[in-house]
Each structure stands twice: as structure tokens, then as C-alpha cells.
Amino acid sequence: MDKHTLTIEKTIINKAITYILYNLEEDISVDDVSSFCGVSKYHLNRIFRKETGEALYEFIKRNRIEHSAWRLKVEKDKSVTEICSDYGYSPSNYTTEFKKSLHISPSHFRKESEERVHSCSLSRG
């Protein structure tokens, strides 16, 4: 493969990643991403996996869960149900995906993060 082709593929992948990260709370699909990038979903999936080692759909799911985990830590006024619905999950599907990804339930994750903050503030005082 020539240098020009590799540059084009990396540009497409960067465009796809940017689109995904800016639209995590939208109901985006591989079709949406490939359409935005102007390539077939088969081609995008192939070059994305080759470059990142991860399937495009898995990348979308993983980033949704990771971003929602960050929100669980910082948005104390929002319930787990509110946050999961922002990403298009039902509470049971969200819990399943969250556990699969982070090996802990969303509610336990939130509780542990609150306990860490509390113990850090006690040790400073």
C-alpha cells in the first residue's frame, strides 16, 4: 500500500473518531459514521479495525460507556437512569454493558468514586 493511500485511510479514521466523540449522546450507527466519512461501512470497518484493533461499533459502545462513567462521577444531581437514557440505553441494558466494560455496576461505580473523593478530602484535612 502506498503512502498516499495510508494518509487517506488515517484521515478517514480521524474523521470517524471525531464524529463519534462529538455525537456520543446521539443514536449514531456505523452507517451514520460511514456516510459522514463518505465511504462504505464495509471499507470503514475494515480500515478502522486494521488501524485501531477494534471494530467501529465496539469503539462507539466503549466510548459511550466510558463517557457515561465520567458523567456518573461528576453529575451527582443526575440519576443513573437519566444518564443511561442520554445514551439510548434502557437501565437493564446499560447495567449489562457497563459491567461488561468496566467490571462493576454503574451504581457501585458511582458509590466507589464518591467514597474515594470523601477519603481523599479526609486525608487532606
Side-chain angles (χ1 to χ4, degrees):
M1 193 172 295
D2 67 11
K3 189 176 177 181
H4 181 69
T5 303
L6 289 174
T7 301
I8 291 170
E9 287 183 356
K10 287 183 187 227
T11 300
I12 292 168
I13 292 166
N14 287 334
K15 189 174 181 179
I17 290 170
T18 300
Y19 178 81
I20 292 164
L21 295 178
Y22 276 100
N23 292 286
L24 283 175
E25 293 181 28
E26 303 301 319
D27 185 23
I28 57 173
S29 67
V30 172
D31 287 329
D32 296 327
V33 180
S34 64
S35 177
F36 179 79
C37 293
V39 296
S40 78
K41 68 180 178 182
Y42 305 105
H43 180 64
L44 182 58
N45 269 315
R46 186 182 58 75
I47 65 173
F48 194 90
R49 184 183 290 278
K50 182 179 83 177
E51 189 65 31
T52 67
E54 186 173 28
L56 186 60
Y57 182 68
E58 292 301 319
F59 179 83
I60 294 168
K61 282 185 3 180
R62 181 177 58 79
N63 276 279
R64 280 186 171 149
I65 293 296
E66 289 175 0
H67 192 259
S68 71
W70 173 80
R71 288 185 57 198
L72 287 172
K73 283 184 177 184
V74 299
E75 294 181 20
K76 307 289 187 218
D77 59 320
K78 284 203 162 195
S79 70
V80 172
T81 302
E82 287 176 297
I83 290 174
C84 80
S85 70
D86 287 346
Y87 295 90
Y89 287 102
S90 69
S92 62
N93 287 346
Y94 180 68
T95 299
T96 301
E97 287 298 322
F98 198 97
K99 280 182 178 178
K100 199 185 303 182
S101 232
L102 302 176
H103 312 291
I104 189 171
S105 72
S107 55
H108 282 107
F109 177 85
R110 177 176 262 179
K111 184 178 178 190
E112 283 188 9
S113 66
E114 288 171 357
E115 288 171 358
R116 282 191 206 117
V117 168
H118 183 67
S119 67
C120 286
S121 64
L122 289 178
S123 65
R124 291 184 182 172

